[in-house]
Amino acid sequence: MKKIAGRRLALATAALLPLTLAAPATALADTQSPTLSHAATPPARMSTVGGALLGKPGTQANLGSGAPVLPKDLSARSWIVADAESGDVLAAHNPHWRLPPASTLKMLFADTVLPKFPRSEKHKVAPSDLAGMGAGSSLVGIKEGETYTVHDLWLGVFLRSGNDAVHVLSSMNHGVKQTVEDMQAHAEELQALDTHVVSPDGYDAGGQVSSAYDLTLFARSGLQKKDFREYCSTVRAKFPGETTKKHGRTTRGSFEIQNTNRLLAGDSDITPYQGIAGVKNGNTTNAGATFTGVAERGGRVLLVTVMNPEKKDHNEVYKEAARLLDWGFGAAGKVTPVGELVAPRGAQAGSQPSASATAAAGGEQTSAKPVAASVRESGSGGVGVALAIAAGVLVLLAAGVFLVNRRWPLPDLVRRRTRP
């Protein structure tokens, strides 16, 4: 009780000492999708879920002695840096601004639908499964009449952000309409109240919005699940191709797909981020570039979300996310939190994993295993894969429920392995 009271006092102190900066103005648009109208200035009042400061426009940070200053060249409309385990929001900029999410909304899709089907289940794709995808959608290359495992489909969702894979999985989940309803209900359970779901794949649609705060909640919840951690941290994999017949023989090849998360896979002007292990990126005309990432360094796990940088560099969203992660690792323990990532509505203090929750988490209970310590390929058979850059190794989440003893941390059933 004393610790909780102390934390509340710290948050109250934070409310008296906000650092407020102006919000950036314009949007970035470079892919095909419907054009929607959204003001370039954040609302004067936004949601206060997680703390009163998080509802104020501009940058909120309370720097203590020895804390590094925030990066000066951030152009994103909205961003947030949070401790994944304690839930402390270290700093934020318009975190509750309701903006189009692009494919980062696929984190909510995965967190909602992934537990419903075993990874080994097979599905033959019907033409109706691929109906209704938006023009210019990102695709992994699913073909009508071919059979894929659920594992294949999730690799398509996470690595290539394939809207075709999303629609096939939605069809398996009784259709797009039902899936949207399920996602909306799950968002509300997570207290992600800025989010309005219209399409399961994040494609621009009238009224579809989320926020940096909500996307961070989706990532934190998704990372509770073993399979989610595997898929979001897989760098490259083999994906089934088309079935062909030649000289009476039927064969089916495969092709390589690579994760489009540039902090995970790298690019010509980006080095993979030390300790990165997911989670999801996106880009549409209306949303601009969006990204949520999780990284571990020095025994601390941070989440960062960046939405719609004004700068037109095609990798700017990753560069700003990396600078915010660098700041967060340097500032941890030297700042007063400006808010917190709230627990789901159903979380109860002192609760223990139920059988259903354990199943949803991929069968994990009280023993913890590091996700991985090296980059590996994953084929359709699938093994747990995560990226560890240099000494950074992500060790997360061992149960499928949220415990409330350290201000709702990631489940405190993990035992970190000694790092070399």
Side-chain angles (χ1 to χ4, degrees):
M1 291 300 294
K2 290 181 179 179
K3 290 182 178 179
I4 293 173
R7 182 63 61 83
R8 287 175 177 170
L9 177 59
L11 288 174
T13 302
L16 299 175
L17 298 171
L19 169 65
T20 303
L21 302 178
T26 62
L28 173 68
D30 57 11
T31 59
Q32 293 182 4
S33 55
T35 300
L36 306 179
S37 176
H38 287 273
T41 302
R45 297 179 64 185
M46 293 171 278
S47 169
T48 57
V49 171
L53 287 179
L54 302 183
K56 295 184 177 181
T59 301
Q60 308 301 325
N62 285 293
L63 309 183
S65 176
V69 297
L70 284 162
K72 300 292 187 183
D73 52 352
L74 301 174
S75 67
R77 286 187 172 190
S78 175
W79 54 258
I80 189 171
V81 182
D83 186 300
E85 292 181 317
S86 70
D88 289 340
V89 176
L90 306 184
H93 180 79
N94 304 321
H96 280 295
W97 192 356
R98 304 181 75 199
L99 297 167
S103 287
T104 44
L105 192 66
K106 289 183 173 77
M107 294 187 294
L108 174 61
F109 170 75
D111 194 36
T112 304
V113 177
L114 195 153
K116 297 187 177 187
F117 306 104
R119 59 196 287 144
S120 60
E121 182 174 335
K122 295 181 179 180
H123 179 80
K124 185 174 181 178
V125 177
S128 59
D129 293 345
L130 300 174
M133 287 189 295
S137 286
S138 54
L139 305 172
V140 66
I142 290 172
K143 301 298 182 183
E144 296 175 6
E146 295 286 2
T147 298
Y148 300 85
T149 65
V150 166
H151 175 72
D152 295 331
L153 296 172
W154 283 117
L155 287 171
V157 171
F158 278 94
L159 272 68
R160 296 303 303 172
S161 203
N163 289 3
D164 47 357
V166 170
H167 277 252
V168 172
L169 286 162
S170 296
S171 178
M172 294 173 66
N173 188 50
H174 308 294
V176 167
K177 182 177 183 293
Q178 182 62 55
T179 301
V180 167
E181 291 176 1
D182 291 348
M183 290 170 65
Q184 189 66 56
H186 188 50
E188 291 169 7
E189 164 62 19
L190 294 177
Q191 299 200 66
L193 305 183
D194 298 324
T195 298
H196 179 64
V197 183
V198 178
S199 65
D201 50 26
Y203 189 86
D204 286 342
Q208 180 151 276
V209 291
S210 189
S211 67
Y213 185 90
D214 284 10
L215 293 174
T216 307
L217 291 182
F218 301 151
R220 196 178 188 222
S221 178
L223 289 165
Q224 301 281 332
K225 299 173 177 62
K226 179 181 177 181
D227 284 350
F228 187 104
R229 299 198 302 274
E230 173 192 332
Y231 295 130
C232 79
S233 59
T234 299
V235 181
R236 58 185 59 86
K238 294 294 185 181
F239 194 82
E242 290 189 80
T243 300
T244 60
K245 290 185 178 181
K246 189 175 183 180
H247 305 303
R249 292 185 60 189
T250 300
T251 60
R252 189 179 187 185
S254 63
F255 55 93
E256 183 176 282
I257 57 175
Q258 181 169 301
N259 204 310
T260 55
N261 173 355
R262 302 307 184 196
L263 288 191
L264 191 67
D267 202 3
S268 58
D269 59 341
I270 289 185
T271 300
Y273 189 82
Q274 179 185 355
I276 195 73
V279 286
K280 192 69 189 76
N281 56 302
N283 198 315
T284 65
T285 299
N286 197 48
T290 59
F291 175 69
T292 297
V294 63
E296 187 273 348
R297 192 181 294 176
R300 190 180 297 274
V301 183
L302 296 184
L303 283 162
V304 63
T305 296
V306 176
M307 299 187 77
N308 201 343
E310 179 181 89
K311 294 181 181 177
K312 299 189 182 300
D313 183 326
H314 74 289
N315 280 330
E316 183 64 24
V317 72
Y318 305 109
K319 294 175 181 178
E320 295 193 13
R323 288 196 289 272
L324 284 167
L325 283 170
D326 286 343
W327 174 85
F329 286 121
K334 301 173 185 176
V335 298
T336 300
V338 296
E340 65 174 337
L341 300 177
V342 296
R345 286 173 172 166
Q348 298 295 323
S351 61
Q352 295 298 320
S354 64
S356 60
T358 299
E364 294 178 300
Q365 288 187 351
T366 57
S367 63
K369 296 181 180 180
V371 180
S374 62
V375 181
R376 299 170 59 188
E377 277 196 358
S378 172
S380 60
V383 291
V385 180
L387 183 67
I389 301 298
V393 178
L394 180 70
V395 183
L396 285 177
L397 317 173
V401 297
F402 300 93
L403 308 183
V404 193
N405 56 322
R406 284 166 43 207
R407 204 163 180 82
W408 189 60
L410 302 180
D412 194 17
L413 303 175
V414 165
R415 298 295 177 265
R416 296 186 185 281
R417 120 179 129 180
T418 302
R419 290 167 51 186

PDB file of all heavy atoms in Angstrom, residues 145-171:
ATOM      1  N   GLY A 145      -7.862 -21.386 -53.833  1.00  0.00           N
ATOM      2  CA  GLY A 145      -7.755 -22.817 -54.079  1.00  0.00           C
ATOM      3  C   GLY A 145      -6.574 -23.481 -53.410  1.00  0.00           C
ATOM      4  O   GLY A 145      -6.497 -24.713 -53.377  1.00  0.00           O
ATOM      5  N   GLU A 146      -5.649 -22.693 -52.866  1.00  0.00           N
ATOM      6  CA  GLU A 146      -4.496 -23.259 -52.163  1.00  0.00           C
ATOM      7  C   GLU A 146      -4.826 -23.436 -50.679  1.00  0.00           C
ATOM      8  O   GLU A 146      -5.672 -22.731 -50.118  1.00  0.00           O
ATOM      9  CB  GLU A 146      -3.263 -22.368 -52.307  1.00  0.00           C
ATOM     10  CG  GLU A 146      -2.743 -22.240 -53.721  1.00  0.00           C
ATOM     11  CD  GLU A 146      -2.023 -23.501 -54.215  1.00  0.00           C
ATOM     12  OE1 GLU A 146      -1.965 -24.500 -53.454  1.00  0.00           O
ATOM     13  OE2 GLU A 146      -1.524 -23.488 -55.349  1.00  0.00           O
ATOM     14  N   THR A 147      -4.125 -24.370 -50.054  1.00  0.00           N
ATOM     15  CA  THR A 147      -4.315 -24.640 -48.634  1.00  0.00           C
ATOM     16  C   THR A 147      -3.127 -24.111 -47.846  1.00  0.00           C
ATOM     17  O   THR A 147      -1.969 -24.309 -48.239  1.00  0.00           O
ATOM     18  CB  THR A 147      -4.481 -26.153 -48.393  1.00  0.00           C
ATOM     19  OG1 THR A 147      -5.652 -26.609 -49.082  1.00  0.00           O
ATOM     20  CG2 THR A 147      -4.629 -26.458 -46.914  1.00  0.00           C
ATOM     21  N   TYR A 148      -3.430 -23.425 -46.750  1.00  0.00           N
ATOM     22  CA  TYR A 148      -2.396 -22.851 -45.885  1.00  0.00           C
ATOM     23  C   TYR A 148      -2.676 -23.245 -44.439  1.00  0.00           C
ATOM     24  O   TYR A 148      -3.824 -23.429 -44.037  1.00  0.00           O
ATOM     25  CB  TYR A 148      -2.402 -21.319 -45.981  1.00  0.00           C
ATOM     26  CG  TYR A 148      -2.154 -20.782 -47.367  1.00  0.00           C
ATOM     27  CD1 TYR A 148      -3.203 -20.637 -48.271  1.00  0.00           C
ATOM     28  CD2 TYR A 148      -0.875 -20.441 -47.779  1.00  0.00           C
ATOM     29  CE1 TYR A 148      -2.987 -20.151 -49.548  1.00  0.00           C
ATOM     30  CE2 TYR A 148      -0.645 -19.952 -49.060  1.00  0.00           C
ATOM     31  CZ  TYR A 148      -1.705 -19.808 -49.945  1.00  0.00           C
ATOM     32  OH  TYR A 148      -1.468 -19.332 -51.204  1.00  0.00           O
ATOM     33  N   THR A 149      -1.624 -23.365 -43.655  1.00  0.00           N
ATOM     34  CA  THR A 149      -1.814 -23.551 -42.221  1.00  0.00           C
ATOM     35  C   THR A 149      -2.053 -22.191 -41.571  1.00  0.00           C
ATOM     36  O   THR A 149      -1.696 -21.141 -42.130  1.00  0.00           O
ATOM     37  CB  THR A 149      -0.589 -24.197 -41.558  1.00  0.00           C
ATOM     38  OG1 THR A 149       0.524 -23.297 -41.653  1.00  0.00           O
ATOM     39  CG2 THR A 149      -0.239 -25.525 -42.216  1.00  0.00           C
ATOM     40  N   VAL A 150      -2.629 -22.215 -40.396  1.00  0.00           N
ATOM     41  CA  VAL A 150      -2.810 -20.984 -39.629  1.00  0.00           C
ATOM     42  C   VAL A 150      -1.455 -20.338 -39.367  1.00  0.00           C
ATOM     43  O   VAL A 150      -1.314 -19.104 -39.408  1.00  0.00           O
ATOM     44  CB  VAL A 150      -3.569 -21.283 -38.322  1.00  0.00           C
ATOM     45  CG1 VAL A 150      -3.487 -20.108 -37.349  1.00  0.00           C
ATOM     46  CG2 VAL A 150      -5.026 -21.622 -38.630  1.00  0.00           C
ATOM     47  N   HIS A 151      -0.454 -21.146 -39.125  1.00  0.00           N
ATOM     48  CA  HIS A 151       0.908 -20.634 -38.925  1.00  0.00           C
ATOM     49  C   HIS A 151       1.373 -19.841 -40.145  1.00  0.00           C
ATOM     50  O   HIS A 151       1.927 -18.741 -39.998  1.00  0.00           O
ATOM     51  CB  HIS A 151       1.850 -21.804 -38.656  1.00  0.00           C
ATOM     52  CG  HIS A 151       3.296 -21.428 -38.540  1.00  0.00           C
ATOM     53  ND1 HIS A 151       3.810 -20.744 -37.461  1.00  0.00           N
ATOM     54  CD2 HIS A 151       4.344 -21.642 -39.381  1.00  0.00           C
ATOM     55  CE1 HIS A 151       5.105 -20.564 -37.631  1.00  0.00           C
ATOM     56  NE2 HIS A 151       5.454 -21.089 -38.790  1.00  0.00           N
ATOM     57  N   ASP A 152       1.137 -20.385 -41.343  1.00  0.00           N
ATOM     58  CA  ASP A 152       1.499 -19.664 -42.570  1.00  0.00           C
ATOM     59  C   ASP A 152       0.800 -18.307 -42.615  1.00  0.00           C
ATOM     60  O   ASP A 152       1.420 -17.280 -42.937  1.00  0.00           O
ATOM     61  CB  ASP A 152       1.065 -20.465 -43.812  1.00  0.00           C
ATOM     62  CG  ASP A 152       1.791 -21.778 -43.973  1.00  0.00           C
ATOM     63  OD1 ASP A 152       2.942 -21.898 -43.526  1.00  0.00           O
ATOM     64  OD2 ASP A 152       1.177 -22.702 -44.559  1.00  0.00           O
ATOM     65  N   LEU A 153      -0.490 -18.317 -42.308  1.00  0.00           N
ATOM     66  CA  LEU A 153      -1.280 -17.090 -42.420  1.00  0.00           C
ATOM     67  C   LEU A 153      -0.782 -16.019 -41.458  1.00  0.00           C
ATOM     68  O   LEU A 153      -0.696 -14.834 -41.813  1.00  0.00           O
ATOM     69  CB  LEU A 153      -2.757 -17.398 -42.164  1.00  0.00           C
ATOM     70  CG  LEU A 153      -3.420 -18.334 -43.190  1.00  0.00           C
ATOM     71  CD1 LEU A 153      -4.817 -18.725 -42.726  1.00  0.00           C
ATOM     72  CD2 LEU A 153      -3.469 -17.681 -44.568  1.00  0.00           C
ATOM     73  N   TRP A 154      -0.431 -16.410 -40.230  1.00  0.00           N
ATOM     74  CA  TRP A 154       0.064 -15.402 -39.281  1.00  0.00           C
ATOM     75  C   TRP A 154       1.426 -14.864 -39.677  1.00  0.00           C
ATOM     76  O   TRP A 154       1.715 -13.682 -39.461  1.00  0.00           O
ATOM     77  CB  TRP A 154       0.095 -15.976 -37.865  1.00  0.00           C
ATOM     78  CG  TRP A 154      -1.262 -16.041 -37.248  1.00  0.00           C
ATOM     79  CD1 TRP A 154      -1.948 -17.150 -36.845  1.00  0.00           C
ATOM     80  CD2 TRP A 154      -2.132 -14.927 -36.980  1.00  0.00           C
ATOM     81  NE1 TRP A 154      -3.183 -16.801 -36.350  1.00  0.00           N
ATOM     82  CE2 TRP A 154      -3.318 -15.450 -36.418  1.00  0.00           C
ATOM     83  CE3 TRP A 154      -2.024 -13.543 -37.161  1.00  0.00           C
ATOM     84  CZ2 TRP A 154      -4.393 -14.633 -36.032  1.00  0.00           C
ATOM     85  CZ3 TRP A 154      -3.094 -12.737 -36.791  1.00  0.00           C
ATOM     86  CH2 TRP A 154      -4.250 -13.270 -36.235  1.00  0.00           C
ATOM     87  N   LEU A 155       2.265 -15.699 -40.288  1.00  0.00           N
ATOM     88  CA  LEU A 155       3.521 -15.173 -40.818  1.00  0.00           C
ATOM     89  C   LEU A 155       3.235 -14.117 -41.882  1.00  0.00           C
ATOM     90  O   LEU A 155       3.910 -13.080 -41.951  1.00  0.00           O
ATOM     91  CB  LEU A 155       4.369 -16.298 -41.406  1.00  0.00           C
ATOM     92  CG  LEU A 155       5.026 -17.255 -40.405  1.00  0.00           C
ATOM     93  CD1 LEU A 155       5.654 -18.440 -41.126  1.00  0.00           C
ATOM     94  CD2 LEU A 155       6.079 -16.523 -39.567  1.00  0.00           C
ATOM     95  N   GLY A 156       2.223 -14.367 -42.711  1.00  0.00           N
ATOM     96  CA  GLY A 156       1.838 -13.387 -43.718  1.00  0.00           C
ATOM     97  C   GLY A 156       1.339 -12.092 -43.122  1.00  0.00           C
ATOM     98  O   GLY A 156       1.605 -11.005 -43.641  1.00  0.00           O
ATOM     99  N   VAL A 157       0.608 -12.187 -42.005  1.00  0.00           N
ATOM    100  CA  VAL A 157       0.103 -10.989 -41.333  1.00  0.00           C
ATOM    101  C   VAL A 157       1.246 -10.173 -40.749  1.00  0.00           C
ATOM    102  O   VAL A 157       1.342  -8.956 -40.949  1.00  0.00           O
ATOM    103  CB  VAL A 157      -0.897 -11.380 -40.217  1.00  0.00           C
ATOM    104  CG1 VAL A 157      -1.251 -10.158 -39.366  1.00  0.00           C
ATOM    105  CG2 VAL A 157      -2.158 -11.981 -40.816  1.00  0.00           C
ATOM    106  N   PHE A 158       2.133 -10.812 -40.005  1.00  0.00           N
ATOM    107  CA  PHE A 158       3.151 -10.085 -39.263  1.00  0.00           C
ATOM    108  C   PHE A 158       4.337  -9.660 -40.126  1.00  0.00           C
ATOM    109  O   PHE A 158       4.850  -8.552 -39.967  1.00  0.00           O
ATOM    110  CB  PHE A 158       3.654 -10.929 -38.088  1.00  0.00           C
ATOM    111  CG  PHE A 158       2.776 -10.859 -36.872  1.00  0.00           C
ATOM    112  CD1 PHE A 158       1.784 -11.799 -36.664  1.00  0.00           C
ATOM    113  CD2 PHE A 158       2.927  -9.849 -35.938  1.00  0.00           C
ATOM    114  CE1 PHE A 158       0.961 -11.740 -35.543  1.00  0.00           C
ATOM    115  CE2 PHE A 158       2.115  -9.770 -34.821  1.00  0.00           C
ATOM    116  CZ  PHE A 158       1.127 -10.716 -34.623  1.00  0.00           C
ATOM    117  N   LEU A 159       4.791 -10.516 -41.024  1.00  0.00           N
ATOM    118  CA  LEU A 159       5.997 -10.178 -41.783  1.00  0.00           C
ATOM    119  C   LEU A 159       5.692  -9.261 -42.960  1.00  0.00           C
ATOM    120  O   LEU A 159       6.385  -8.262 -43.160  1.00  0.00           O
ATOM    121  CB  LEU A 159       6.696 -11.452 -42.274  1.00  0.00           C
ATOM    122  CG  LEU A 159       7.704 -12.072 -41.291  1.00  0.00           C
ATOM    123  CD1 LEU A 159       6.986 -12.627 -40.071  1.00  0.00           C
ATOM    124  CD2 LEU A 159       8.518 -13.170 -41.968  1.00  0.00           C
ATOM    125  N   ARG A 160       4.661  -9.601 -43.740  1.00  0.00           N
ATOM    126  CA  ARG A 160       4.365  -8.827 -44.941  1.00  0.00           C
ATOM    127  C   ARG A 160       3.160  -7.924 -44.776  1.00  0.00           C
ATOM    128  O   ARG A 160       2.751  -7.256 -45.721  1.00  0.00           O
ATOM    129  CB  ARG A 160       4.118  -9.773 -46.128  1.00  0.00           C
ATOM    130  CG  ARG A 160       5.330 -10.592 -46.517  1.00  0.00           C
ATOM    131  CD  ARG A 160       6.532  -9.745 -46.855  1.00  0.00           C
ATOM    132  NE  ARG A 160       6.247  -8.797 -47.939  1.00  0.00           N
ATOM    133  CZ  ARG A 160       7.065  -7.840 -48.320  1.00  0.00           C
ATOM    134  NH1 ARG A 160       8.205  -7.658 -47.697  1.00  0.00           N
ATOM    135  NH2 ARG A 160       6.737  -7.048 -49.309  1.00  0.00           N
ATOM    136  N   SER A 161       2.586  -7.908 -43.568  1.00  0.00           N
ATOM    137  CA  SER A 161       1.394  -7.099 -43.309  1.00  0.00           C
ATOM    138  C   SER A 161       0.307  -7.404 -44.331  1.00  0.00           C
ATOM    139  O   SER A 161      -0.399  -6.512 -44.805  1.00  0.00           O
ATOM    140  CB  SER A 161       1.750  -5.603 -43.326  1.00  0.00           C
ATOM    141  OG  SER A 161       0.819  -4.840 -42.606  1.00  0.00           O
ATOM    142  N   GLY A 162       0.174  -8.682 -44.659  1.00  0.00           N
ATOM    143  CA  GLY A 162      -0.710  -9.089 -45.744  1.00  0.00           C
ATOM    144  C   GLY A 162      -2.194  -8.954 -45.409  1.00  0.00           C
ATOM    145  O   GLY A 162      -2.710  -9.670 -44.548  1.00  0.00           O
ATOM    146  N   ASN A 163      -2.858  -8.042 -46.089  1.00  0.00           N
ATOM    147  CA  ASN A 163      -4.303  -7.919 -45.909  1.00  0.00           C
ATOM    148  C   ASN A 163      -5.033  -9.160 -46.410  1.00  0.00           C
ATOM    149  O   ASN A 163      -6.121  -9.487 -45.925  1.00  0.00           O
ATOM    150  CB  ASN A 163      -4.827  -6.678 -46.626  1.00  0.00           C
ATOM    151  CG  ASN A 163      -4.408  -5.390 -45.955  1.00  0.00           C
ATOM    152  OD1 ASN A 163      -3.676  -5.408 -44.967  1.00  0.00           O
ATOM    153  ND2 ASN A 163      -4.873  -4.270 -46.481  1.00  0.00           N
ATOM    154  N   ASP A 164      -4.422  -9.876 -47.384  1.00  0.00           N
ATOM    155  CA  ASP A 164      -5.037 -11.122 -47.845  1.00  0.00           C
ATOM    156  C   ASP A 164      -5.040 -12.154 -46.715  1.00  0.00           C
ATOM    157  O   ASP A 164      -6.031 -12.864 -46.508  1.00  0.00           O
ATOM    158  CB  ASP A 164      -4.343 -11.649 -49.100  1.00  0.00           C
ATOM    159  CG  ASP A 164      -2.817 -11.654 -49.030  1.00  0.00           C
ATOM    160  OD1 ASP A 164      -2.254 -11.188 -48.019  1.00  0.00           O
ATOM    161  OD2 ASP A 164      -2.184 -12.125 -49.996  1.00  0.00           O
ATOM    162  N   ALA A 165      -3.960 -12.232 -45.949  1.00  0.00           N
ATOM    163  CA  ALA A 165      -3.909 -13.169 -44.820  1.00  0.00           C
ATOM    164  C   ALA A 165      -4.910 -12.770 -43.742  1.00  0.00           C
ATOM    165  O   ALA A 165      -5.565 -13.626 -43.129  1.00  0.00           O
ATOM    166  CB  ALA A 165      -2.498 -13.220 -44.246  1.00  0.00           C
ATOM    167  N   VAL A 166      -5.056 -11.460 -43.507  1.00  0.00           N
ATOM    168  CA  VAL A 166      -6.036 -10.979 -42.527  1.00  0.00           C
ATOM    169  C   VAL A 166      -7.441 -11.388 -42.939  1.00  0.00           C
ATOM    170  O   VAL A 166      -8.249 -11.852 -42.117  1.00  0.00           O
ATOM    171  CB  VAL A 166      -5.936  -9.455 -42.363  1.00  0.00           C
ATOM    172  CG1 VAL A 166      -7.108  -8.920 -41.532  1.00  0.00           C
ATOM    173  CG2 VAL A 166      -4.618  -9.066 -41.714  1.00  0.00           C
ATOM    174  N   HIS A 167      -7.760 -11.237 -44.219  1.00  0.00           N
ATOM    175  CA  HIS A 167      -9.115 -11.539 -44.673  1.00  0.00           C
ATOM    176  C   HIS A 167      -9.404 -13.041 -44.629  1.00  0.00           C
ATOM    177  O   HIS A 167     -10.534 -13.445 -44.337  1.00  0.00           O
ATOM    178  CB  HIS A 167      -9.340 -10.968 -46.076  1.00  0.00           C
ATOM    179  CG  HIS A 167      -9.709  -9.519 -46.055  1.00  0.00           C
ATOM    180  ND1 HIS A 167     -10.972  -9.065 -46.338  1.00  0.00           N
ATOM    181  CD2 HIS A 167      -8.986  -8.414 -45.751  1.00  0.00           C
ATOM    182  CE1 HIS A 167     -11.017  -7.751 -46.222  1.00  0.00           C
ATOM    183  NE2 HIS A 167      -9.811  -7.329 -45.861  1.00  0.00           N
ATOM    184  N   VAL A 168      -8.402 -13.866 -44.899  1.00  0.00           N
ATOM    185  CA  VAL A 168      -8.616 -15.308 -44.795  1.00  0.00           C
ATOM    186  C   VAL A 168      -8.874 -15.700 -43.342  1.00  0.00           C
ATOM    187  O   VAL A 168      -9.808 -16.458 -43.040  1.00  0.00           O
ATOM    188  CB  VAL A 168      -7.413 -16.079 -45.358  1.00  0.00           C
ATOM    189  CG1 VAL A 168      -7.559 -17.576 -45.073  1.00  0.00           C
ATOM    190  CG2 VAL A 168      -7.293 -15.855 -46.863  1.00  0.00           C
ATOM    191  N   LEU A 169      -8.072 -15.181 -42.424  1.00  0.00           N
ATOM    192  CA  LEU A 169      -8.286 -15.479 -41.013  1.00  0.00           C
ATOM    193  C   LEU A 169      -9.616 -14.916 -40.518  1.00  0.00           C
ATOM    194  O   LEU A 169     -10.299 -15.539 -39.694  1.00  0.00           O
ATOM    195  CB  LEU A 169      -7.127 -14.912 -40.179  1.00  0.00           C
ATOM    196  CG  LEU A 169      -5.815 -15.694 -40.287  1.00  0.00           C
ATOM    197  CD1 LEU A 169      -4.645 -14.844 -39.811  1.00  0.00           C
ATOM    198  CD2 LEU A 169      -5.886 -16.996 -39.493  1.00  0.00           C
ATOM    199  N   SER A 170     -10.005 -13.757 -41.033  1.00  0.00           N
ATOM    200  CA  SER A 170     -11.307 -13.192 -40.669  1.00  0.00           C
ATOM    201  C   SER A 170     -12.436 -14.078 -41.167  1.00  0.00           C
ATOM    202  O   SER A 170     -13.446 -14.270 -40.482  1.00  0.00           O
ATOM    203  CB  SER A 170     -11.453 -11.779 -41.245  1.00  0.00           C
ATOM    204  OG  SER A 170     -10.508 -10.896 -40.680  1.00  0.00           O
ATOM    205  N   SER A 171     -12.279 -14.631 -42.376  1.00  0.00           N
ATOM    206  CA  SER A 171     -13.281 -15.544 -42.907  1.00  0.00           C
ATOM    207  C   SER A 171     -13.406 -16.781 -42.022  1.00  0.00           C
ATOM    208  O   SER A 171     -14.515 -17.269 -41.750  1.00  0.00           O
ATOM    209  CB  SER A 171     -12.909 -15.954 -44.333  1.00  0.00           C
ATOM    210  OG  SER A 171     -13.843 -16.870 -44.864  1.00  0.00           O
TER     211      SER A 171
END
